[in-house]
Amino acid sequence: MHIILPDKSVRTVSCTSAPIEEILLSLGINPTTVIVVKNGRVVPEDVTADDGDEIRILRVSHGG
Amino acid sequence: MQCARCGEPAVVHLTGPDRRLCAAHFIEDVETRVATALECGRMITPGDRIAVGLSGGKDSTALLLLLHRLVPRTDATLVAVTVDEGIAGYREETLRAAEVLTAELGVEHRIVTFPDLFGGDLDRLLVGREAQGCTVCGVLRRRALVEAARRTGATKLATGHNLDDEAQSVLMNVLRGDLPHLLHDTATGLPGQFVPRIKPLAVLSEKEITIYLLLRAYYRDLPECPYAGTALRSEVRTMLATMEHRHPGTMGRLMQFREEIRGSASPTEPAGELRLCRICGELASGEVCQVCRLLGREER
């Protein structure tokens, strides 16, 4: 799956299926600080992402 | 993962109470919560002219969008006020966003600038003390907003403070041992001295506000303030976000704690004596207000 991080960099992760919250935590991202857009739709973090999905992560806090 | 109300795909999983909502029902839920907060907090009274502090960033954008939908239910009127501090590479873009939004909504818009009010923009005022950016800006911006509200004849000043901001403030006051600030409630105002503040978004987390903007197609990936991250708030923000993830509801419970403390404080207990600044005549906790101290006016 393709993961677009808040800094716009892209990571390609090979995995069959995993809850998005788990993916975020493995990337060192606190789920309360981001919004996840899966294949163009906002989704709760407990949905599952599969291989081939595009996951865009948007940072919530801009600190100012 | 479906919406609890209609079966459409859920966009969000909320707690307290636990519910999954689709886009339409999340928007409705947010608007209902803010409408309830306005009503229960008696934030709007008949005939109010509400100045909305509009920086152009996400919170104030959501605030104006929500008030623009909810205020017509009352007989109050809205005016947007923007403070241009003069932060190169940051404020220009948010200022443009504020202008576009007010034009689209047909809301009157007034801009005040730091050079007009304080004789120089923030970048100039911070030379040699950049690390104090958030503190200096916070003090001056509060004063500028009050001045802008006065100039528009507003009876209330609405700001986009969200649940995260408010919970962070509670924890910061606790960490500083600052009981007077914990008890101080700016909602009451002081007749003839300052315009009462209202914070209709304090019932929404920063995340909920961002999702609301995304779903209403008003989300913009704006630049980060170059002075951000230099204050205690930045550390508290990270700490609270971790706590909120591990123990959902932490921020809400902090707010509840503050309300209980305020409710149980003796009414005769002074929340910091206020007087008028001998230099500018504004309200101050000492002989000279924070703004005059920061601008070095007392040394002249």
Side-chain angles (χ1 to χ4, degrees), chain B residues 10 39 109 119 143 166 183 203 217 223 276:
Chain B
E39 203 178 316
H109 188 206
R143 173 68 60 84
E166 293 296 287
L183 296 178
V203 291
L276 300 183

Side-chain angles (χ1 to χ4, degrees), chain A residues 32-57:
Chain A
T32 64
T33 65
V34 293
I35 288 164
V36 176
V37 180
K38 177 185 160 186
N39 301 328
R41 290 185 73 111
V42 180
V43 291
E45 291 80 47
D46 50 0
V47 302
T48 300
D50 298 301
D51 214 13
D53 283 338
E54 182 197 84
I55 305 295
R56 183 182 292 270
I57 301 167

